[in-house]
Amino acid sequence: MASVGRMAGVSQVTVSRALSDPSKVSPETLRRIHEAIEATGFVPNALAGALASRRSRLITALVPSITNIVYSSLLHGFSDIMREHGYQIMLSETGFDPEREQEMIETHLARRPDGMLLTGIHHSAAARRMLIGSGTPVVEVWDITETPIDCCVGFSHAATGAEAAEFAIRAGYRRAATVTAGDQRAQRRRDAFVEGFRAATGEELPAIDFPPGTATLGQGRDSLRRLIEEKGFEAGVIFCSSDQYAHGILTEAMARNLRVPDQIAVIGFGDQSFAEHTFPSLTTVRIDRDALGKAAAKALLDRFENRPLKTSTINVGFEIIKRASA
Amino acid sequence: MASVGRMAGVSQVTVSRALSDPSKVSPETLRRIHEAIEATGFVPNALAGALASRRSRLITALVPSITNIVYSSLLHGFSDIMREHGYQIMLSETGFDPEREQEMIETHLARRPDGMLLTGIHHSAAARRMLIGSGTPVVEVWDITETPIDCCVGFSHAATGAEAAEFAIRAGYRRAATVTAGDQRAQRRRDAFVEGFRAATGEELPAIDFPPGTATLGQGRDSLRRLIEEKGFEAGVIFCSSDQYAHGILTEAMARNLRVPDQIAVIGFGDQSFAEHTFPSLTTVRIDRDALGKAAAKALLDRFENRPLKTSTINVGFEIIKRASA
DNA sequence: GTGAAAGCGCTAACAT
DNA sequence: ATGTTAGCGCTTTCAC
């Protein structure tokens, strides 16, 4: 920056000003500075800038998995807004592991982000302490609580399960099963579904549970196979913790020549882009993930400007999309 | 750090050493320092560290889209290795736009990353200049060239198309069509397929082309519809630029009661996790994306330690996986 | 509109 | 094994 200044016949500070607030520099000086930048290929050092100004223009985000479209599409909306406002995103995966999350929070905090996005509302006590101690604005997403660290943007997982159960009962189903990923939130959805369904029918629900990790279509196929062959499930509605599972069940039903939804009905979760186009099309729970990500970004931006948050908890809700599979 | 030192009765440098190279500090001092860190909740400032040491332990990555599993799974392998070696990843999307890529390269460079991952081998001249000027180690992935900026890890897209054509010819197909995303690499695969197929059969190939953006199952269904209704394509093999399209074609064929592969055969690209489990299962081109990401990480790490790269270009190859759809 | 000086919180180099 | 000194490349504050 000093050498750019020398080249343009001004001091280093003037170059700094030309870059951060051009209105404070005369047009003629500005022109010469830009010429010098062009000529030298100068790229400012954001590290030094952040150190001096105590603003890094960095937002860090922690998600369980980036290969899971549910989180990556949420991040897509989030980054869009953040980038528009001049922030960059640093992303890490926690792999659904609270301990790993805590480690990552610490290394992220070391970069002095201006804000942080966390997935879910459950974090280790030590993580909470570090976060609060650092004073970093935090937005927790994909779930809601009355007691966020800072603010949260999400929806009630229990409510989706309960409403799905209600939907299934109203649609006339009297037998049901669940297929669930090894993810705490997915399990809460299932529990609420099971409770609601059992309250109405008194029936026990066979359950297939998978270990943590991204849900696959193959697991979905497998779960229908096991439901039929091991659990004696012959007909009814299956509540899945993701559209992947649901699509797999549709596929397996097709391969077995079972009628959907008469014999086997399926409810997915996520309303992923394919859900509308499966055969038959998939009944599912829609979360507007892009809007959720954007709302999270806005909540954080509001915090930066000390705008009073009307509420620290934003419930973006969900919607059951009735299609052909249930 | 100074106050931690005061608390532990040592100077600030000793604290720094305790954190970066504990073997240089006596066990007793180390213990007191850790006590003080615990008590104060001190989190070191990586920004200041990076500025002073000229090593940021930051790797930045640029991919067209994070919601596209092809890139996110590659990054997954890449981050795994990088994290093991103490590097963090900063990720941004270019949206398949070279101009946006150039902007992002500049802002990323401002953070002084120790290395950078770029998708593809085509970058604007200005971007190349900045990259080379900065001296930042760069690994280009998902494609190969004899003249990388630094090093590249990928495979030949043209070769996949050519080999797929050969495969189709050998399998006895004499009519073919293509379904392609608005992505330069996808188009190269298609062009090689068309050329190979035409050379053997003399046939013209109807083509469906989509604009840039993530390929969806819905577009796949749509493309079979259009191939049949608009292009008069009645039978043959369809070469797709992604498994999503291929899955959509399978779905539409099922909905139309067309026999697969007798009437409509399909070749996908990517061997995504669902490809093995579609009905019928999907013949596709497999790239070991996780291994590719890992190889890219290793190439970069080699560069960091000035280990001689035997070759600056690593071809990870591909494999045609024959399943039931073609 | 521009400049000089101080300092952000660390690490590197050199002492002891 | 520990301390001292001098920056890293910017922004902030205050002066002119």
Side-chain angles (χ1 to χ4, degrees):
Chain A
M1 212 175 228
S3 72
V4 168
R6 226 171 296 124
M7 200 159 175
V10 292
S11 77
Q12 173 264 334
V13 245
T14 308
V15 180
S16 169
R17 275 196 276 257
L19 260 28
S20 57
D21 187 358
S23 72
K24 286 185 166 173
V25 174
S26 80
E28 164 58 14
T29 313
L30 209 55
R31 196 188 49 70
R32 288 209 317 280
I33 289 175
H34 279 124
E35 259 175 40
I37 288 178
E38 201 61 30
T40 53
F42 168 76
V43 177
N45 185 329
L47 256 30
L51 184 61
S53 67
R54 299 146 159 284
R55 303 191 55 216
S56 60
R57 299 228 145 247
L58 215 214
I59 306 289
T60 74
L62 247 26
V63 292
S65 157
I66 52 166
T67 54
N68 192 152
I69 186 77
V70 148
Y71 304 114
S72 60
S73 60
L74 183 161
L75 278 171
H76 187 85
F78 182 78
S79 326
D80 260 11
I81 301 289
M82 280 309 186
R83 189 165 28 237
E84 272 171 29
H85 290 261
Y87 292 91
Q88 280 172 264
I89 312 292
M90 194 174 94
L91 189 60
S92 295
E93 292 179 289
T94 63
F96 294 97
D97 174 357
E99 243 177 81
R100 166 101 165 259
E101 188 193 50
Q102 182 183 324
E103 278 171 39
M104 304 285 357
I105 286 176
E106 183 158 5
T107 55
H108 278 205
L109 243 24
R111 304 255 173 209
R112 297 298 187 266
D114 290 342
M116 199 152 164
L117 176 143
L118 256 32
T119 308
I121 52 174
H122 298 290
H123 316 287
S124 75
R128 274 187 94 93
R129 224 179 303 122
M130 287 194 305
L131 254 6
I132 292 170
S134 73
T136 310
V138 173
V139 60
E140 293 164 275
V141 299
W142 201 241
D143 204 341
I144 48 171
T145 171
E146 287 309 306
T147 54
I149 295 176
D150 216 17
C151 57
C152 69
V153 180
F155 58 95
S156 162
H157 288 261
T160 65
E163 199 163 307
E166 226 178 274
F167 169 89
I169 294 295
R170 256 204 323 275
Y173 297 102
R174 286 299 169 266
R175 300 229 46 194
T178 60
V179 176
T180 316
D183 160 14
Q184 197 261 108
R185 289 174 287 274
Q187 288 156 3
R188 264 190 285 139
R189 298 196 291 273
R190 174 202 57 198
D191 292 346
F193 180 85
V194 168
E195 196 184 325
F197 201 85
R198 209 151 45 184
T201 64
E203 289 281 344
E204 283 309 305
L205 281 70
I208 302 287
D209 292 290
F210 288 104
T214 300
T216 67
L217 187 138
Q219 290 175 321
R221 286 192 70 161
D222 203 46
S223 59
L224 180 56
R225 208 173 295 141
R226 287 167 56 196
L227 240 18
I228 292 172
E229 293 172 8
E230 297 170 16
K231 313 268 184 177
F233 186 80
E234 284 161 1
V237 59
I238 305 175
F239 180 63
C240 301
S241 73
S242 88
D243 284 351
Q244 260 78 29
Y245 291 154
H247 197 182
I249 288 172
L250 248 32
T251 306
E252 182 66 18
M254 182 103 351
R256 288 177 178 252
N257 261 311
L258 301 175
R259 295 182 319 278
V260 176
D262 302 348
Q263 213 165 338
I264 296 293
V266 188
I267 302 175
F269 181 86
D271 193 27
Q272 292 181 28
S273 67
F274 62 77
E276 190 181 347
H277 302 285
T278 56
F279 182 70
S281 63
L282 193 57
T283 293
T284 188
V285 179
R286 173 188 293 168
I287 313 296
D288 190 336
R289 296 185 296 271
D290 194 69
L292 198 163
K294 291 192 154 105
K298 277 170 196 146
L300 220 42
L301 290 166
D302 279 350
R303 283 253 12 215
F304 293 166
E305 313 198 343
N306 277 316
R307 256 171 285 177
L309 296 179
K310 292 161 292 283
T311 43
S312 60
T313 297
I314 299 173
N315 189 340
V316 297
F318 60 89
E319 199 183 341
I320 295 195
I321 306 293
K322 169 142 187 53
R323 297 207 184 92
S325 74
Chain B
M1 213 175 225
S3 72
V4 168
R6 225 172 296 124
M7 200 159 173
V10 293
S11 78
Q12 173 265 332
V13 246
T14 308
V15 180
S16 169
R17 274 195 278 258
L19 260 26
S20 58
D21 187 358
S23 72
K24 286 184 167 176
V25 174
S26 81
E28 163 59 13
T29 314
L30 209 56
R31 195 187 51 70
R32 288 207 317 279
I33 289 176
H34 278 123
E35 258 175 39
I37 288 177
E38 200 63 30
T40 53
F42 169 75
V43 177
N45 185 330
L47 257 29
L51 184 61
S53 67
R54 300 145 158 286
R55 304 189 55 217
S56 60
R57 299 227 146 249
L58 215 214
I59 307 290
T60 74
L62 248 25
V63 291
S65 156
I66 51 166
T67 54
N68 191 151
I69 186 76
V70 149
Y71 304 114
S72 60
S73 60
L74 184 162
L75 278 171
H76 187 86
F78 181 79
S79 325
D80 259 12
I81 302 288
M82 280 308 185
R83 189 163 28 235
E84 271 170 29
H85 288 261
Y87 292 91
Q88 281 170 262
I89 313 292
M90 195 175 92
L91 188 61
S92 295
E93 294 179 289
T94 63
F96 295 95
D97 175 356
E99 243 178 82
R100 165 100 164 258
E101 189 194 50
Q102 182 184 324
E103 277 171 40
M104 304 285 356
I105 286 176
E106 183 158 6
T107 55
H108 277 204
L109 243 24
R111 304 254 172 210
R112 297 298 186 264
D114 290 342
M116 198 151 163
L117 176 142
L118 256 30
T119 308
I121 52 175
H122 298 290
H123 315 286
S124 75
R128 273 188 95 93
R129 224 179 303 122
M130 287 194 305
L131 254 6
I132 292 168
S134 73
T136 310
V138 173
V139 59
E140 293 164 276
V141 299
W142 201 240
D143 205 340
I144 49 173
T145 171
E146 287 308 307
T147 54
I149 296 177
D150 215 20
C151 58
C152 70
V153 180
F155 58 95
S156 162
H157 288 261
T160 65
E163 199 163 307
E166 226 178 275
F167 169 89
I169 294 294
R170 256 206 321 276
Y173 297 103
R174 286 298 169 270
R175 301 229 46 195
T178 60
V179 176
T180 315
D183 159 15
Q184 198 260 109
R185 289 174 288 273
Q187 288 155 4
R188 265 191 285 139
R189 298 196 291 270
R190 175 203 55 200
D191 292 346
F193 180 85
V194 168
E195 196 184 325
F197 201 85
R198 208 151 46 184
T201 63
E203 290 282 345
E204 283 308 304
L205 282 70
I208 301 287
D209 293 290
F210 289 104
T214 300
T216 68
L217 186 139
Q219 289 175 319
R221 287 193 69 163
D222 203 46
S223 59
L224 180 56
R225 208 174 296 142
R226 287 168 55 196
L227 240 18
I228 293 172
E229 294 171 7
E230 297 171 16
K231 313 270 183 176
F233 186 78
E234 284 161 1
V237 60
I238 305 175
F239 181 63
C240 301
S241 73
S242 88
D243 285 350
Q244 260 78 30
Y245 291 154
H247 197 181
I249 288 172
L250 248 31
T251 306
E252 182 66 17
M254 182 102 353
R256 288 179 178 251
N257 263 311
L258 300 175
R259 294 181 321 277
V260 176
D262 302 347
Q263 212 165 340
I264 296 294
V266 187
I267 302 175
F269 181 87
D271 192 28
Q272 292 180 29
S273 66
F274 63 77
E276 190 181 346
H277 302 285
T278 56
F279 182 70
S281 64
L282 193 58
T283 293
T284 187
V285 180
R286 171 188 294 168
I287 314 296
D288 190 337
R289 296 185 297 270
D290 194 69
L292 199 164
K294 291 192 154 103
K298 278 169 195 146
L300 220 41
L301 289 166
D302 279 350
R303 284 251 14 216
F304 292 166
E305 315 198 343
N306 277 315
R307 257 172 282 179
L309 295 179
K310 292 162 291 284
T311 43
S312 60
T313 297
I314 298 173
N315 188 339
V316 296
F318 60 90
E319 198 184 341
I320 296 194
I321 307 293
K322 169 142 185 52
R323 297 208 183 93
S325 74

